[in-house]
Amino acid sequence: MTRLRTMLLTIGGQPTTLDTVKVGDRTYVALDQLQKALTAAGGSNQLGAAEGCLNE
């Protein structure tokens, strides 16, 4: 049995409301909603990782 539900999640330190679907014992979120929430939380301004070690 599946149930649609709205859930408050914390993403990037910000509270975000997303629609979820519960199937059995697991809760799922649509990837497009998650992508929008991550972008809104600052995901679009991320800096690339630098390679190497400290003092290299």
Side-chain angles (χ1 to χ4, degrees), residues 2 9 11-12 18-19 22 24 36 38-39 45 48 52 56:
T2 61
L9 302 172
I11 298 176
L18 297 174
D19 294 329
K22 186 161 179 113
K36 287 178 188 176
L38 289 171
T39 301
N45 297 324
E56 190 175 77

Side-chain angles (χ1 to χ4, degrees), residues 1-51:
M1 178 177 195
T2 61
R3 294 185 301 185
L4 181 62
R5 187 174 154 187
T6 301
M7 192 174 258
L8 182 66
L9 302 172
T10 303
I11 298 176
Q14 300 296 320
T16 306
T17 303
L18 297 174
D19 294 329
T20 62
V21 176
K22 186 161 179 113
V23 179
D25 293 333
R26 296 187 184 243
T27 302
Y28 297 92
V29 176
L31 292 178
D32 60 337
Q33 284 189 30
L34 185 58
Q35 181 181 18
K36 287 178 188 176
L38 289 171
T39 301
S44 62
N45 297 324
Q46 291 179 341
L47 299 174
E51 292 185 21

